[in-house]
Structures are given as C-alpha cells and as structure tokens.
Amino acid sequence: MTTEGLEDVVATTSRICDLDGKLGKLTYYGIDIHDLARHSSFEETAYLLWHGVLPTKAQLAEVEQQLRANRALPSRIIDLMHLLPSSTTPMDVLRTTVSALVAFDDDLSDKSTAANERRAIRLTSALPTIIMTWNSIREKRNPVEPLQTGTHAANMLYMLTGKEPDAYTARALDVALILHADHELNASTFAARVTAGTKADMYASVVAAISALSGPLHGGANEQVIRMLLRIGEVRNVEPYLEDALARKERIMGFGHRVYRTEDPRATHLRAMSQELGERTGDSRWYEMSRAIEEYIKGHKGLNANVDFYSASVYYMMGIPIDLDTPIFASSRISGWTAHILEQYANNRLIRPRADYVGAKITEYVPVEQRG
Ligand SMILES: CC(=O)SCCNC(=O)CCNC(=O)[C@H](O)C(C)(C)COP(=O)(O)OP(=O)(O)OC[C@H]1O[C@@H](n2cnc3c(N)ncnc32)[C@H](O)[C@@H]1OP(=O)(O)O
Ligand SMILES: O=C([O-])CC(=O)C(=O)O
C-alpha cells in the first residue's frame, strides 16, 4: 500500500524529538518546548540536541565559547559571495556557500563523531554570518564583522544593523531560535538524514536540508506570510482577501500541518511575541491582521496556524528583511539537522524506500526509424 507524501509512515527511530500531533506536545530529549522557550537559550538547546542532555554550567560556557569562536568565515567564502549577482536570494546564497565550506574543512577524511560534532558547531556558527554578510554585500555595504561576544541571536541582529540589539529583541529572537531548532522528521531533516544515510558528509547533508527548507510548503512559508500581510494591508481587508483566496483554492501560507491537529505549541509563543512586539513598537497592525486571519481560517477551514505564521510578523517587527526569514529559520534548524545527521551516522542504514509502480506494462522497444 502506498501513502502519498509518506503521511504517518514511521521511517526511523530517533531519540531527539517527540511530537504528539493530537495533544500538541513537543519535546527535545524529553524536555518540553514550553520549558525550553521560557528558560533555555539557543546555545543550551543546541547542546541538548547534539548531546542528549542539558549541559553543566562548564559545558554550557564551553559550547557558547565554541560557537562564538567559529563565527568568522574563510575570506574566500566572502570572495565567492562577491561573485554572485545581487539578486541571488539569501536561501540560494546559503545553499551555495554551505556547499563551498566543504573545501575549507581541514580534514574531511576524519569521520569520527568528535570531528562531526566540531563540524556541527562550525556550521551552526557560520550560518548567521553567511546570511548577514550576504545582506550587506547585496546592499553594497561593507559586511559587519561578527562579534566575539554575545549570543547567537544577539550577534545575528548586530550583524544586520551594526548596532548591538536591545536585550528584549535579542531575547525574543533567541526564543524564536529555540522554537525552530528541531521538529522530528520534517521534510528538511528527512532530506538531511537520507543524504547522511548514503555516508555523504555533513556539508552535503546540510545542503540537502537547506534546499528542502526553502520551499513554500516548508520553511519558505514564513516569507510568504509576511508578503500576504503586506498585500492585505489592514484588518478590514482580511475577510475579502481570504474569501477571494479561498474561492481561488489558494493555500493560505502559515496554516495547516502534516502532524498537528491542534495548536502548534510553538505558535502559542510566537503569537504572544507578535502581540508584545506590536505593543513595544507602537504598531500592532501586523499582530491584529494575523489574529483576524487566524480566526477566519480556523472558522472556515478548521486549520491552525503553524510555526511559520506568527514568526513572520515577529521578524518583520524586529526589522529583519523579508527574504531573510527562511535563512533565519535555517540558522536555528541547523542545530536539529546536525543532531539528526549525527544520530544517522551513529546507527546508519541506507534509506531507500520503494515506489508502487503504476506505469506502462512491459512494452516492446521500437527503434526510432520505425516510430514515424
Ligand atoms: C515549518 C513548516 O514546514 S510548517 C508548514 C509550512 N507550510 C505552510 O504554511 C504552507 C501552507 N500549508 C500547506 O500547504 C499544508 O498545510 C502543509 C503542506 C503544511 C501540510 O500539507 P498536507 O499534510 O499534505 O495536507 P494536504 O495538502 O493534504 O491538505 C489537506 C487539505 O487541507 C487543505 N489545506 C491544507 N493546508 C491549507 C492551507 N494552508 N490553506 C488552505 N487549505 C489548506 C488542502 O487544500 C486539502 O484540502 P482538500 O482535501 O479539500 O484538497
Ligand atoms: O514538522 C514539519 O513537517 C514542519 C515543521 O513544523 C517544522 O519543520 O518545524
């Protein structure tokens, strides 16, 4: 029997992330996402995903230090970015430069777990630098050097503007990164594991993941959500816009999920953040439109907002350029991807499902001269 889109197919065992779509429960190594969002940091959550336990104080300090120490990019990666047309999308730049980073790995032949854990740290540190360096290059500004201090989130905001972010915004992005860090066998993580399952290296596996994340049915939806909010413009336009869109059978980005049949627990936090950011910035339009869309779609289609819905207005109110939304998702999900790649390597079997053949019956080969 076939299951289109592998819905509900259990494709592997994993200790990393547990997801209950009926109850709306999400845990990383048994720790509730709500607790992580309230109390953890992105760095601590990444450690948890890589090692399966929360770090001691010393281990946390060490991973924070390693993540800071690896922020700078090889200068030739920056040279490579200068060669790209300024219209290249940030996701395409991310995919291309992560692929090129393999050439700067000191010893690719070292396939030990320790070497792959070091690669996970290097890749996690590199992603925000790539994204923000590209943002400067395409705007014909000098890239801002990464800070040697501060969190993954604060450094990302600093590299965007050249100014240290206020504590509230840095923490809000930190929480968003925690919420996006892992999500079981989503399409990009599955792509990473399929690639790692062939014993391809970590760079190749992450490139596969970035490529899968970029599509609008997955991580690319957050960018489409904010474009929709901009098109709608104000709360009173929500209803006619959605009526039209649904009549045309359009999908409303940021709604629906393959696994959740109830509220996505990450959306609960992002909704509250969107409201709070609206109040702080004195412009609640984006939050209010989002609430109106959510109510309409819930009422008319029975669909819940997913992680991409409220993250869109959150990032917009932080002043993040729209097409950096999905790369920012990637700069969190890299922790989950690399954790899954490490888990795949540790207990590997090639991932190779079958297809139910529904094509033509055996047919005789007709040489081209006789085909008319
Ligand atoms: C981080 C993430 O990846 S979260 C997901 C981000 N993606 C989006 O927000 C894109 C919009 N959402 C969607 O396209 C889908 O809900 C997906 C891709 C997330 C999940 O899709 P699936 O599990 O394959 O559900 P499927 O596509 O079979 O949809 C089931 C039904 O709900 C409808 N539906 C699902 N999502 C939506 C939506 N966002 N807007 C309108 N209708 C929708 C479908 O049209 C379909 O209706 P039908 O049976 O009448 O044809
Ligand atoms: O799990 C999924 O299919 C999509 C998702 O929410 C994520 O990757 O965060």
Side-chain angles (χ1 to χ4, degrees):
M1 198 183 76
T2 55
T3 313
E4 289 308 331
L6 302 182
E7 180 163 359
D8 288 336
V9 170
V10 176
T12 190
T13 51
S14 175
R15 293 177 194 281
I16 301 174
C17 180
D18 192 24
L19 180 52
D20 185 324
K22 285 201 192 90
L23 296 178
K25 262 193 96 59
L26 170 62
T27 56
Y28 298 165
Y29 277 103
I31 300 183
D32 197 289
I33 193 68
H34 297 302
D35 286 331
L36 291 168
R38 281 187 206 109
H39 307 299
S40 188
S41 62
F42 171 74
E43 288 78 352
E44 184 181 68
T45 300
Y47 184 101
L48 172 67
L49 292 172
W50 291 327
H51 299 284
V53 285
L54 287 169
T56 62
K57 274 188 196 151
Q59 287 165 334
L60 178 59
E62 194 186 350
V63 78
E64 284 171 347
Q65 167 50 27
Q66 288 167 339
L67 283 164
R68 286 184 195 126
N70 282 283
R71 283 177 185 163
L73 298 174
S75 63
R76 280 192 281 171
I77 290 290
I78 299 176
D79 294 345
L80 170 66
M81 285 193 224
H82 279 286
L83 295 176
L84 299 171
S86 62
S87 57
T88 314
T89 72
M91 277 305 272
D92 289 342
V93 174
L94 196 60
R95 166 163 59 79
T96 304
T97 47
V98 166
S99 185
L101 276 176
V102 73
F104 300 91
D105 192 301
D106 304 340
D107 185 6
L108 211 52
S109 64
D110 186 350
K111 297 190 189 311
S112 64
T113 302
N116 279 320
E117 285 174 357
R118 286 195 294 277
R119 288 184 186 109
I121 297 249
R122 281 208 297 273
L123 281 160
T124 303
S125 300
L127 259 58
T129 315
I130 293 172
I131 296 161
M132 297 308 170
T133 301
W134 173 248
N135 190 51
S136 297
I137 290 174
R138 69 175 173 172
E139 289 176 357
K140 315 243 178 308
R141 290 185 284 110
N142 285 333
V144 179
E145 295 284 321
L147 289 171
Q148 292 298 306
T149 55
T151 63
H152 196 68
N155 173 59
M156 211 171 337
L157 291 166
Y158 168 77
M159 289 192 74
L160 177 65
T161 60
K163 289 193 219 104
E164 293 214 24
D166 63 83
Y168 175 85
T169 312
R171 175 60 187 157
L173 184 58
D174 192 33
V175 174
L177 297 179
I178 294 168
L179 295 171
H180 283 82
D182 195 47
H183 212 243
E184 200 222 37
L185 271 200
N186 61 85
S188 56
T189 302
F190 189 55
R193 289 193 76 131
V194 168
T195 310
T198 69
K199 293 203 173 189
D201 65 48
M202 190 173 268
Y203 302 89
S205 308
V206 170
V207 170
I210 295 171
S211 307
L213 188 76
S214 67
L217 294 190
H218 188 17
N222 55 10
E223 181 181 332
Q224 298 310 322
V225 170
I226 195 68
R227 293 196 190 285
M228 171 176 73
L229 292 178
L230 287 163
R231 277 196 301 277
I232 294 175
E234 46 186 309
V235 176
R236 70 188 164 102
N237 298 337
V238 164
E239 230 178 278
Y241 177 94
L242 292 176
E243 232 174 71
D244 265 22
L246 291 181
R248 285 196 304 273
K249 303 246 172 278
E250 268 178 31
R251 279 185 184 227
I252 310 303
M253 295 290 121
F255 287 90
H257 198 276
R258 176 58 68 78
V259 182
Y260 290 121
R261 291 293 163 258
T262 180
E263 167 114 342
D264 179 331
R266 302 164 299 175
T268 315
H269 292 269
L270 290 159
R271 183 191 295 111
M273 284 160 68
S274 174
Q275 180 171 22
E276 220 168 279
L277 272 155
E279 284 159 10
R280 288 180 70 92
T281 56
D283 184 1
S284 291
R285 198 160 35 128
W286 312 105
Y287 169 71
E288 281 162 12
M289 265 193 276
S290 301
R291 282 295 288 152
I293 296 171
E294 192 181 18
E295 269 173 36
Y296 188 96
I297 296 299
K298 183 77 188 163
H300 286 76
K301 297 287 291 182
L303 294 169
N304 293 295
N306 59 48
V307 71
D308 283 322
F309 186 64
Y310 279 102
S311 62
S313 54
V314 163
Y315 297 155
Y316 192 69
M317 287 187 273
M318 286 178 181
I320 293 170
I322 295 170
D323 61 0
L324 298 193
D325 286 4
T326 313
I328 285 178
F329 187 159
S331 73
S332 161
R333 187 56 61 83
I334 180 75
S335 57
W337 290 333
T338 48
H340 278 269
I341 294 165
L342 288 164
E343 187 177 59
Q344 185 68 37
Y345 287 150
N347 188 19
N348 190 48
R349 186 144 193 247
L350 180 80
I351 299 171
R352 201 290 186 202
R354 294 296 314 269
D356 183 15
Y357 179 70
V358 292
K361 293 207 165 55
I362 294 208
T363 329
E364 199 187 331
Y365 176 82
V366 180
V368 68
E369 307 79 54
Q370 293 169 28
R371 274 180 245 154

